[in-house]
Amino acid sequence: MGADRTEVLRGEVLDERTVLGIDELCRACSVTTDWIAELVEHGVLEPIGGEPAEWLFAGSSVRRTRIAMRLQRDLGVNPPGAALVLELIGEIEELRTRLRMPRGR
């Protein structure tokens, strides 16, 4: 028989209350600040703050950034296209949530 192999997974739970600076977001997603700025420019991400050095991002920005990266890498989707796809994903999720809600009579 083979030796037991144990893997330890580490991570953080990120939600809307989690706030990341641009450097933290870049590290979490392994991207450059230029890539984040391009996503902001095209509406994929919505930071709080005026200048890039002051930008703060919600924890959900990690998920949106990673989706945008996969769309570009796997399908060749540009940032404006990623913004559209993410908007549509959000609408689908909202509709699914509404469908699960009990209807009043």
Side-chain angles (χ1 to χ4, degrees), residues 97-105:
T97 299
R98 284 185 190 175
L99 286 172
R100 281 189 226 110
M101 294 171 70
R103 296 182 188 175
R105 294 184 185 195

Side-chain angles (χ1 to χ4, degrees), residues 30-50:
S30 300
V31 297
T32 65
T33 55
D34 289 340
W35 173 246
I36 297 297
E38 190 170 359
L39 295 180
V40 169
E41 179 182 334
H42 294 289
V44 174
L45 301 175
E46 296 179 11
I48 300 167

Side-chain angles (χ1 to χ4, degrees), residues 12-86:
E12 281 185 55
V13 175
L14 301 173
D15 61 18
E16 288 302 317
R17 294 173 299 200
T18 303
V19 178
L20 304 166
I22 191 167
D23 292 333
E24 293 168 311
L25 180 58
C26 289
R27 275 193 302 278
C29 298
S30 300
V31 297
T32 65
T33 55
D34 289 340
W35 173 246
I36 297 297
E38 190 170 359
L39 295 180
V40 169
E41 179 182 334
H42 294 289
V44 174
L45 301 175
E46 296 179 11
I48 300 167
E51 297 297 317
E54 301 168 351
W55 284 348
L56 297 175
F57 296 88
S60 61
S61 296
V62 172
R63 178 177 181 253
R64 291 180 67 82
T65 301
R66 289 180 177 166
I67 291 170
M69 289 169 33
R70 284 193 306 271
L71 288 168
Q72 182 183 43
R73 181 191 67 220
D74 298 344
L75 302 174
V77 175
N78 62 11
L84 177 61
V85 169
L86 285 160

